[in-house]
Amino acid sequence: MSKIGVFICHCGENIGAKVDCTRLASTLGDHPGVASSIEYKYFCSDPGQESVKKAIRDNNLTGVVVAACSPRMHEATFRKACAEAGLNPYMCEIANIREQCSWVHNDNDKATDKAIDIVRSMVEKVKRNNNLQPIEVPVTRRALVIGGGIAGIQAALDIANAGQEVVLVEREPSLGGHMAQLSETFPTLDCSQCIMTPRMVEAAQHPKIRLLTYAEIESVDGYIGNFQVKVRLKARYVNKSTCTGCGECITKCPSKKISSEFDCGIGKRTAIYTPFAQAVPNIPVIDKNSCTYFKNGKCKICVKTCPLDCIDFEMQDEFEDLEIGAIVVATGFQVQNNAMYGEYGFGKYQDVITGLQFERLASASGPTGGKVQRPSDGKEPETVVFIQCAGSRDPSKGVKYCSKICCMYTAKHAMLYAHKVHGGKSKIFYMDIRAAGKGYDEFTRRAIEEDEAGYLRGRVSKVWLENGKLMVRGVDTLLGKPVEIAADMVVLATAMVAQPDAKEFAKTIGIGYDEYGFFNEAHLKLRPVESSTAGIFLAGACQSPKDIPDSVAQASASASKVLALFSKEKLEREPVIAVNNESTCAGCWGCVLACPYGAIEKKDIMDRSGKLIKRVASVNPGLCQGCGTCVTFCRSNSIDLAGFTEKQIFAEVMGL
Amino acid sequence: MSIEQLYRTRAKELLSSGEVKMVIGYGAGSNKERRRPLFITSAEECDKLVLDSACISNLSGYLLTEGLLSDEKRVAVFLRPEGVRALNVLAAEAQLDTAQIVIIGFDSPKGELKALEGSSVEEFTALITALKEITPETAGEEQLAKIEKMSPEERFLFWQEEFSKCIKCYACRQACPMCYCRRCIVDSNQPQWVNTSSHTLGNFEWNIVRAFHLSGRCVECGNCDRACPVNIPLRLINRKMAEEVLNSFNHFAGTSKTQEPVLASFKKDDSETFIL
């Protein structure tokens, strides 16, 4: 016979003001199998928990239902209290009468009736609960960081500096990401590469970090503490172990007119190349699609030039399997293609460029050596128009969200322009100046007051070419007048968007993403660096548009999550796992295929003489995550989920 | 020689050479329109085999009879194209090994009997692939079109009416080659999810559960439809589900013995408009 204790929490006024807790307690007190039913103002408080423990001991309770807030809040609290009183913690369940009842109803009587239903349904479930024991799984103490931009490098360094192994995977030939492309950084105007490259070198030289550049993630299997990751090491066609990075091959390569990705198309590179001078590792790769030898079967000048015979045209992609305990995803962002804004003339006029292209123009390592020159004729522009929100905050053509960094970098661009081209005029069309952050508003004020950036509040409707000038027609809404500016160059503050393959990638590694392709965090406020998949963490702009300080902070935060995970030898897991009834299993293996964790194996059942009787599915408790996918798939209802058995769920439904 | 004669001889050869231990075919029924399954184990009995356009039931389900294939000996079976598809589905679901099955294939489009080449499932791949491209002819084509035109309320009433005839005899389940579970979900009473009494709720539950369990697996052989003693047009439900699965996932049941079950497998390009 069950002896269930029901504990009804007022949660101050949260529940007490809407639900008549006294009626609730007395109704449940009369329910068959309920031995004790009491109410209290705050059961989560120390005296509240004590009263639960006392009731368990006094009444020899076999199960506990706490009617309170969401189990996300205090399930752990009450299960622990039950365990301290000698009850198996899994005999305690939470009936949520706050989020699912008092908070969402106005009528007190009806809310109380509903609360009675909710609690009764949970009492019926607990009657059928079983004692469960937690499962222990080992943790592989090796982290995988995906993405070698500033966020990935920071996370890798933090984890490695704490003494744990890290594998850092970057798909481009060099570390660096977008930050390496920037000229100077707001709000301090320090040179991006000057602060970035030491980090890149540190990561490359760190004894605990294994660097895999020009590599991509093929597949991720397993679960928290025990991931199996397959990495594709793309063929560089250059032998990594012998190449010294002398650069002879790059100098001699005859294909010199390939648009440079690193310079956003305004600079050129060769077919065998390193993306930039400070590339880490400083080992070139051959771009198969542009290389004369790969296209025509003739050339091989690099082979003849290389003093160490490092070039190998026969090289193939290689695969490597890694055992990983935790993953940090730091795959970054892309800038939106502005070709869809026909009115701005991007793609039509050479001197209409994106903010990132301007960064390359202003960068000392860029194609112009840091001189601001028009891509069309190399002249120094006398007037530059900056258009903010070119894509951001535009639900009709662009993206709905604010890209967060554009107000700041546009102010920076205006300053850099003022410093590099004395007497140059800058005009900035903006919607709002969003400069929240340490030193940020001071920075934009400085652009306006000291560097004479001309801010015009309004949008641009059209850009066209007239007598060699880019005519920009917009509106100054503060004056209420249309304006026309003859400019030499137009810079679009393009939106930050997710990587084009972000959704595909999210599916490969098994994390969620939003409508834009940014990866979803487990909780926007309280778990911002965790993905919804245990053991996979997020850092940087792959989660949402971010500037450098935010990306670095989030990277360190994910590193601390990884280190917390690695601080224990074993991981204790909830025993909510699938169990198969072998006598009814038809052995169709649908569950084997459906299981996202590869936790179900085929098992032979033999008779005493070793003859095969039948084959059934068998769940590996170490691998099972208790997601229940197999349960829903099983046609004969042979698989059940401990803690959420069909019997329990059925009783719960029937209790309503 | 007629096809019937030809196949009798073939059955004799298979049995007398010891290549198969049993031939599952058709025998005479109570009248000219009805044929019974025949299980032959000796060459002498082969003359009892009947083959004509009345041989319509799908015999593949009999292969799963407990213990029949466990001695690893081979069995020959008379199958129409949909029967071969059923073999593929059963093999994909690890219920049998197609190497143990010798197919004696035939078809009777528009009532005209013809023999089909090949004795292993692989030899029928081209035929089955071709079937995927053409819309299969359904006896209830007109009725199907009529149901499609109905409003959801009218459709619900239509099926409520049809299901109200259901007496829960489970003949559909017994006749279906895909219903091989050792314990059917309706026979599980801890808890009793599907109500076994013949009222509206229980009738809907049973027939909808069966439709879902068959989607992506049903080869539309019509065994259930013919077995139903109260003439519920079960074939229409299965046709609709097959269409849905084909349109949503480009999946045609039984194209190969390694085909992954559509509702348990996942492809990156599956449409997932239903996931929030």
Side-chain angles (χ1 to χ4, degrees):
Chain A
M1 182 64 195
S2 304
K3 282 189 229 166
I4 311 291
V6 177
F7 302 91
I8 290 146
C9 181
H10 294 201
C11 195
E13 292 232 302
N14 275 307
I15 295 169
K18 278 283 166 299
V19 172
D20 179 349
C21 293
T22 313
R23 174 152 82 90
L24 179 59
S26 74
T27 312
L28 263 300
D30 295 337
H31 189 76
V34 174
S36 149
S37 175
I38 52 175
E39 54 177 313
Y40 187 67
K41 200 161 186 187
Y42 289 110
F43 268 115
C44 59
S45 66
D46 267 356
Q49 289 182 52
E50 278 311 314
S51 66
V52 174
K53 288 185 212 169
K54 187 170 178 299
I56 294 172
R57 292 194 193 100
D58 291 353
N59 301 303
N60 281 326
L61 294 181
T62 58
V64 164
V65 174
V66 182
C69 50
S70 158
R72 292 283 291 253
M73 304 289 162
H74 279 300
E75 187 178 71
T77 312
F78 292 113
R79 284 195 165 165
K80 199 157 162 263
C82 286
E84 281 166 14
L87 195 65
N88 183 290
Y90 296 94
M91 299 307 288
C92 167
E93 296 279 357
I94 308 293
N96 182 353
I97 57 166
R98 192 177 78 173
E99 285 84 345
Q100 293 178 0
C101 187
S102 67
W103 275 2
V104 289
H105 295 299
N106 289 324
D107 188 308
N108 288 26
D109 272 350
K110 284 184 182 167
T112 308
D113 289 344
K114 180 173 167 182
I116 292 172
D117 278 348
I118 294 173
V119 182
R120 191 173 51 216
S121 143
M122 206 43 86
V123 168
E124 286 305 312
K125 182 188 178 196
V126 172
K127 283 182 187 174
R128 289 153 183 87
N129 273 21
N130 299 309
N131 288 352
L132 301 174
Q133 303 305 329
I135 298 167
E136 282 193 337
V137 285
V139 177
T140 309
R141 286 169 167 166
R142 185 182 301 113
L144 170 71
V145 177
I146 308 171
I150 185 60
I153 291 174
Q154 182 68 40
L157 283 173
D158 284 352
I159 298 166
N161 285 336
Q164 303 293 350
E165 275 181 57
V166 181
V167 181
L168 176 57
V169 174
E170 165 60 48
R171 70 170 162 189
E172 299 298 329
S174 166
L175 289 181
H178 278 107
M179 187 173 161
Q181 290 175 279
L182 306 183
S183 53
E184 271 138 55
T185 54
F186 62 79
T188 44
L189 289 191
D190 35 6
C191 156
S192 185
Q193 295 201 327
C194 307
I195 56 175
M196 180 75 185
T197 48
R199 292 297 175 93
M200 288 159 56
V201 174
E202 194 186 341
Q205 291 175 342
H206 203 294
K208 288 281 181 185
I209 298 180
R210 205 172 142 222
L211 192 57
L212 299 176
T213 52
Y214 214 43
E216 291 193 50
I217 305 299
E218 272 299 290
S219 66
V220 174
D221 292 311
Y223 56 96
I224 180 168
N226 299 273
F227 292 105
Q228 288 90 41
V229 180
K230 191 188 265 297
V231 180
R232 176 195 288 267
L233 303 164
K234 294 185 278 188
R236 294 182 101 97
Y237 305 106
V238 176
N239 189 332
K240 268 193 292 190
S241 48
T242 52
C243 173
T244 57
C246 70
E248 275 299 304
C249 51
I250 300 174
T251 328
K252 297 281 161 59
C253 178
S255 315
K256 293 193 192 300
K257 291 197 170 161
I258 302 152
S259 164
S260 160
E261 295 85 359
F262 187 77
D263 284 334
C264 303
I266 53 172
K268 303 283 181 232
R269 64 163 171 84
T270 44
I272 184 165
Y273 72 106
T274 53
F276 53 103
Q278 305 100 313
V280 172
N282 188 24
I283 297 167
V285 296
I286 296 179
D287 170 8
K288 204 175 168 181
N289 298 325
S290 313
C291 170
T292 316
Y293 173 75
F294 277 111
K295 283 198 290 194
N296 307 330
K298 280 183 208 146
C299 182
K300 285 201 175 180
I301 290 176
C302 48
V303 179
K304 288 166 209 145
T305 317
C306 181
L308 294 163
D309 284 337
C310 301
I311 317 284
D312 175 7
F313 286 111
E314 303 302 313
M315 204 179 266
Q316 297 291 327
D317 289 4
E318 282 170 29
F319 293 93
E320 190 169 328
D321 293 307
L322 302 169
E323 298 285 319
I324 295 293
I327 300 176
V328 177
V329 178
T331 51
F333 68 99
Q334 273 308 333
V335 288
Q336 195 178 29
N337 179 6
N338 275 72
M340 61 190 182
Y341 285 98
E343 60 267 41
Y344 296 154
F346 181 80
K348 189 170 160 197
Y349 308 125
Q350 267 187 299
D351 297 330
V352 179
I353 61 173
T354 67
L356 201 53
Q357 286 176 319
F358 188 86
E359 295 283 349
R360 294 311 301 148
L361 279 185
S363 169
S365 74
T368 57
K371 292 199 182 77
V372 179
Q373 293 171 344
R374 306 193 339 157
S376 60
D377 53 13
K379 278 189 194 151
E380 213 167 58
E382 286 163 21
T383 308
V384 179
V385 168
F386 295 90
I387 302 175
Q388 287 196 189
C389 296
S392 307
R393 302 175 67 193
D394 180 357
S396 59
K397 275 173 112 171
V399 292
K400 278 187 233 163
Y401 54 83
C402 165
S403 291
K404 200 174 172 182
I405 59 166
C406 323
C407 287
M408 294 305 297
Y409 77 62
T410 301
K412 178 188 76 181
H413 288 171
M415 282 165 113
L416 293 178
Y417 174 59
H419 299 168
K420 285 172 189 277
V421 181
H422 298 288
K425 277 201 195 95
S426 59
K427 296 283 174 201
I428 303 172
F429 284 94
Y430 73 105
M431 282 159 72
D432 302 286
I433 301 178
R434 297 186 165 177
K438 188 169 181 176
Y440 283 15
D441 202 55
E442 297 93 312
F443 184 79
T444 52
R445 293 310 309 170
R446 209 170 105 204
I448 297 166
E449 286 157 18
E450 291 175 22
D451 291 316
E452 294 174 353
Y455 275 79
L456 298 163
R457 191 173 197 277
R459 306 287 291 153
V460 169
S461 62
K462 201 178 175 188
V463 176
W464 72 98
L465 197 65
E466 200 175 292
N467 300 329
K469 290 275 185 187
L470 286 165
M471 302 302 293
V472 182
R473 180 183 291 155
V475 62
D476 184 337
T477 54
L478 297 181
L479 289 177
K481 279 184 185 164
V483 282
E484 244 177 57
I485 300 168
D488 300 301
M489 191 196 263
V490 173
V491 181
L492 305 176
T494 40
M496 267 173 122
V497 294
Q499 293 277 13
D501 55 351
K503 291 181 182 178
E504 195 73 1
F505 176 75
K507 286 179 197 168
T508 304
I509 68 165
I511 56 173
Y513 52 85
D514 65 15
E515 57 184 306
Y516 309 109
F518 290 115
F519 302 142
N520 276 345
E521 59 294 313
H523 189 286
L524 193 57
K525 282 159 277 182
L526 299 178
R527 294 169 70 196
V529 304
E530 290 154 84
S531 76
S532 45
T533 306
I536 303 185
F537 307 98
L538 308 174
C542 63
Q543 183 224 359
S544 69
K546 279 192 190 71
D547 56 16
I548 296 165
D550 281 1
S551 297
V552 171
Q554 202 192 8
S556 289
S558 359
S560 84
K561 290 280 171 194
V562 171
L563 293 170
L565 178 64
F566 288 178
S567 67
K568 292 179 219 122
E569 261 177 38
K570 287 200 166 163
L571 218 114
E572 204 166 87
R573 281 231 335 267
E574 290 245 319
V576 177
I577 55 160
V579 183
N580 187 26
N581 179 348
E582 292 175 354
S583 64
T584 58
C585 173
C588 73
W589 309 136
C591 53
V592 176
L593 210 70
C595 178
Y597 304 98
I600 308 184
E601 294 149 11
K602 299 173 182 180
K603 175 178 161 188
D604 294 344
I605 295 185
M606 312 284 201
D607 66 8
R608 283 183 194 169
S609 60
K611 209 179 125 207
L612 182 72
I613 301 173
K614 67 169 186 171
R615 304 186 75 192
V616 293
S618 170
V619 181
N620 179 335
L623 297 177
C624 176
Q625 298 292 294
C627 70
T629 306
C630 55
V631 178
T632 56
F633 181 79
C634 184
R635 284 185 290 270
S636 62
N637 263 21
S638 297
I639 307 191
D640 221 344
L641 199 60
F644 295 89
T645 61
E646 302 245 334
K647 260 192 205 179
Q648 287 172 298
I649 304 288
F650 193 79
E652 217 178 313
V653 175
M654 298 316 279
L656 284 175
Chain B
M1 202 168 16
S2 71
I3 296 169
E4 188 181 61
Q5 276 301 327
L6 197 79
Y7 277 177
R8 277 182 189 166
T9 319
R10 175 119 175 257
K12 266 180 212 164
E13 283 166 12
L14 285 168
L15 283 165
S16 50
S17 68
E19 200 179 321
V20 302
K21 65 166 181 176
M22 181 190 276
V23 174
I24 306 178
Y26 302 90
S30 46
N31 62 42
K32 273 197 163 178
E33 274 70 52
R34 311 190 79 149
R35 296 289 174 254
R36 279 188 188 143
L38 208 57
F39 304 88
I40 295 175
T41 49
S42 69
E44 297 80 59
E45 294 173 279
C46 286
D47 288 332
K48 289 188 199 162
L49 283 167
V50 173
L51 191 64
D52 54 26
S53 58
C55 299
I56 41 179
S57 70
N58 178 358
L59 303 180
S60 60
Y62 294 111
L63 294 167
L64 300 185
T65 310
E66 191 97 35
L68 177 65
L69 298 172
S70 58
D71 57 3
E72 295 181 9
K73 288 187 182 148
R74 303 175 83 197
V75 173
V77 59
F78 280 68
L79 291 176
R80 289 169 172 272
E82 59 269 23
V84 183
R85 285 174 62 199
L87 270 194
N88 274 330
V89 177
L90 293 173
E93 293 177 1
Q95 299 305 307
L96 51 76
D97 179 358
T98 51
Q100 272 182 273
I101 315 297
V102 176
I103 299 168
I104 303 177
F106 71 100
D107 200 0
S108 57
K110 300 190 179 85
E112 200 176 310
L113 198 67
K114 66 170 189 185
L116 297 177
E117 288 284 321
S119 60
S120 66
V121 285
E122 288 81 4
E123 290 167 90
F124 288 83
T125 309
L127 178 83
I128 295 169
T129 316
L131 279 177
K132 183 183 172 184
E133 302 308 322
I134 54 165
T135 325
E137 283 176 34
T138 311
E141 207 73 63
E142 276 173 35
Q143 205 176 1
L144 204 64
K146 221 159 61 185
I147 296 170
E148 286 289 341
K149 281 200 194 104
M150 291 179 183
S151 68
E153 293 76 23
E154 286 169 340
R155 208 176 303 144
F156 186 83
L157 284 173
F158 171 81
W159 284 113
Q160 191 173 14
E161 175 92 21
E162 288 294 341
F163 291 154
S164 71
K165 298 188 280 189
C166 180
I167 53 171
K168 293 282 177 67
C169 66
Y170 304 129
C172 47
R173 178 184 84 187
Q174 297 313 111
C176 179
M178 296 306 151
C179 278
Y180 53 71
C181 281
R182 287 174 172 83
R183 182 200 63 188
C184 176
I185 179 171
V186 283
D187 298 333
S188 157
N189 58 6
Q190 290 284 335
Q192 183 88 57
W193 282 114
V194 181
N195 215 305
T196 49
S197 63
S198 300
H199 58 59
T200 313
L201 178 66
N203 288 342
F204 262 96
E205 279 175 343
W206 162 242
N207 284 291
I208 287 171
V209 163
R210 212 181 96 82
F212 272 95
H213 282 188
L214 283 177
S215 46
R217 306 169 66 231
C218 176
V219 296
E220 299 177 72
C221 65
N223 272 11
C224 54
D225 200 274
R226 286 186 296 273
C228 183
V230 292
N231 296 323
I232 300 171
L234 295 168
R235 189 194 285 251
L236 299 180
I237 304 176
N238 297 332
R239 176 88 278 273
K240 177 70 186 164
M241 295 309 277
E243 226 173 74
E244 290 287 326
V245 171
L246 185 64
N247 294 340
S248 305
F249 305 106
N250 191 27
H251 180 98
F252 186 66
T255 44
S256 91
K257 63 178 182 182
T258 51
Q259 188 181 33
E260 291 185 343
V262 69
L263 294 188
S265 56
F266 167 82
K267 289 191 197 79
K268 279 192 205 151
D269 54 355
D270 277 347
S271 71
E272 47 181 61
T273 46
F274 49 92
I275 297 176
L276 290 175

